[in-house]
Amino acid sequence: MSAFAISRRALGVGAGGLLLAGAARAAPAGARPWPYLIGADISWVPEDEAAGATYYEAGVQRDPLAIFRDAGFNAIKLRLFVHPENGYSRGKPGGPWCGLAQIIDFSRRIKAAGFHLSLTLHYSDTWADPQHQDKPAAWAGLSFAKLVEAVHRHTRESLGAMAKAGVAPDLVIIGNETTFGMLWPDGRVPLTIPTGNAVTDRTHMHLAGAGGFDRFAVLLKAGIAGARETVPGARIALHNHLGRHWPIVQDWMDNLLRRGVRFDATGFSCYQQAAEGDWARTFDAFERRYPDHGFFAIEYSSRKRYLNDLVHGHRNGWGGFIWEPTRHQEAIFTRNGVNAGEGPKPNLLSQGANGAEAPGGVPSAASPPPEDHGGRYDADPAFLELYRNMARDYGLSAGPRPAPIRK
């Protein structure tokens, strides 16, 4: 199929401008389509297991999926890079990590353990985030029309392979942290409303040469069309990393909806606020303004119960996914007797920059030591109990404290 045919038929772009893609499909109700999702992104686990990581609960080695399941988690999210061997996995043993074959393999474990499965498509060979939305190397020289076709084809082929393997995701997120667009510069969106974070504002305001919302919308439609065609039963979400900033969220949503981008929910990163109550403000306003859209905390770390209670308290609040809780920020595992991550991070911008809020804003060592994430990880009983209580209070199926199951 030609790039023009994809743009016209699958994306709803015609000679008269941007049309409403998928207009024949009724707008979805925003209410939770499943029981509340107590989720975790644990894409690092297979990579760490290959490096020798083992996971323990109450002194007994267990499959980490069993530890999460029995603590009340019912959903797992993974991330997929385009060609990670050219980026994220270059020089790493094993893998390629977060490539299609490895993701399918891990998804089989996840589905067999009874979890809801979500997938975030990073349209990059490495991390796509608010500081970096680099094109895959194989797409770098493509015209915009060919780039649109590549997004559509990659989405179709990746999700089609997962469906064929019996591990079709239940929720597909098109792009990662795409507040400022994707596949830069073509799909980049300049920032027009200050975030209050000096690093973010300096990087994203007053840009020249960015494709803007028109091109960003076409790229999103390409991914959404590919997902709808291959996993029609899945819900589709987008990702805005500024869950604390309602004016930016509203401007972003309105611009996409005005251009005919049709999706089911928005995931918000929720690591930090400018002022206490920012997350609550966004959730309240989002549900009022977009009643046919769901929302969820797609990334968080600290303030676990507080944030999930906020989301759960809304009819349109689908759930929350803690990001890499085995060893990131306020991890729910310990290693050598201390938190396996860096511990809790600032709640408010006034308390200090948070690397997850503004990638590149926190200085790192010029020559970091080689990473080795093997070793013994012990589940912190206090955090396991927090999640068990959360699951019970939300009416989910967290059972009694389980007998350990050896791998």
Side-chain angles (χ1 to χ4, degrees):
M1 182 182 292
S2 71
F4 177 77
I6 288 176
S7 296
R8 234 183 120 81
R9 287 177 15 197
L11 310 181
V13 180
L18 295 168
L19 305 178
L20 294 185
R25 181 177 179 272
R32 289 198 276 273
W34 316 283
Y36 186 84
L37 300 179
I38 298 180
D41 186 323
I42 55 170
S43 302
W44 275 335
V45 162
E47 187 176 339
D48 291 350
E49 287 177 328
T54 52
Y55 301 88
Y56 288 77
E57 181 183 2
V60 178
Q61 186 178 346
R62 304 192 67 200
D63 185 322
L65 290 174
I67 296 175
F68 283 104
R69 181 197 62 215
D70 294 335
F73 286 81
N74 58 7
I76 299 294
K77 186 171 77 68
L78 303 178
R79 56 184 170 272
L80 177 69
F81 301 125
V82 177
H83 294 297
E85 62 275 15
N86 296 330
Y88 173 76
S89 281
R90 185 188 295 126
K92 289 189 175 188
W97 304 109
C98 295
L100 183 59
Q102 186 262 311
I103 287 300
I104 288 175
D105 184 60
F106 194 27
S107 295
R108 289 191 177 103
R109 281 176 64 184
I110 291 165
K111 288 281 192 177
F115 287 98
H116 176 284
L117 176 64
S118 297
L119 180 76
T120 291
L121 289 146
H122 289 240
Y123 292 95
S124 180
D125 294 335
T126 189
W127 301 105
D129 60 37
Q131 257 345 65
H132 314 92
Q133 294 282 341
D134 297 332
K135 296 175 185 176
W139 302 0
L142 297 180
S143 67
F144 182 68
K146 290 293 185 181
L147 186 63
V148 171
E149 185 175 345
V151 169
H152 182 254
R153 181 176 60 251
H154 168 71
T155 308
R156 276 185 58 91
E157 291 176 353
S158 300
L159 295 176
M162 293 184 73
K164 184 177 180 180
V167 292
D170 304 291
L171 174 63
V172 178
I173 299 95
I174 303 296
N176 187 69
E177 295 184 319
T178 57
T179 316
F180 310 130
M182 61 194 285
L183 294 160
W184 293 349
D186 299 66
R188 189 167 189 175
V189 175
L191 180 64
T192 59
I193 302 171
T195 68
N197 185 305
V199 173
T200 301
D201 296 347
R202 184 169 61 248
T203 303
H204 296 288
M205 298 192 82
H206 312 300
L207 294 176
F213 273 110
D214 283 349
R215 287 197 164 192
F216 178 37
V218 172
L219 292 167
L220 287 176
K221 289 180 185 180
I224 292 169
R228 297 284 190 212
E229 291 159 12
T230 48
V231 286
R235 300 300 175 106
I236 307 297
L238 304 184
H239 184 177
N240 186 300
H241 87 289
L242 288 174
R244 66 175 177 82
H245 203 304
W246 168 241
I248 287 178
V249 168
Q250 179 181 329
D251 181 70
W252 187 81
M253 286 287 296
D254 287 354
N255 270 288
L256 294 179
L257 294 175
R258 191 178 302 127
R259 288 163 173 80
V261 182
R262 295 292 176 259
F263 52 102
D264 302 310
T266 299
F268 298 119
S269 297
C270 297
Y271 290 106
Q272 207 165 6
Q273 304 178 92
E276 195 65 71
D278 282 347
W279 295 331
R281 178 190 181 200
T282 293
F283 301 162
D284 290 347
F286 186 94
E287 188 169 74
R288 285 194 303 270
R289 188 172 181 87
Y290 312 110
D292 289 336
H293 285 76
F295 72 89
F296 55 103
I298 195 171
E299 292 187 24
Y300 73 93
S301 184
S302 303
R303 307 201 75 191
K304 298 169 172 59
R305 181 69 197 243
Y306 169 76
L307 180 62
N308 276 281
D309 281 352
L310 284 180
V311 179
H312 182 264
H314 290 77
R315 182 182 70 94
N316 289 17
W318 288 12
F321 290 84
I322 185 172
W323 200 80
E324 294 292 4
T326 58
R327 59 174 174 86
H328 178 257
Q329 291 204 7
E330 191 183 46
I332 65 176
F333 284 77
T334 61
R335 193 177 183 206
N336 300 324
V338 298
N339 191 273
E342 306 90 7
K345 292 293 184 179
N347 171 44
L348 302 176
L349 294 181
S350 60
Q351 296 169 345
N354 183 329
E357 159 73 21
V362 178
S364 58
S367 300
E371 291 188 355
D372 177 8
H373 297 291
R376 172 170 170 160
Y377 294 81
D378 284 271
D380 186 320
F383 283 132
L384 295 189
E385 192 63 20
L386 181 153
Y387 278 98
R388 287 193 185 102
N389 289 336
M390 190 188 303
R392 293 188 190 111
D393 291 347
Y394 296 169
L396 305 176
S397 57
R401 194 181 305 275
I405 302 171
R406 292 185 182 274
K407 287 181 67 176

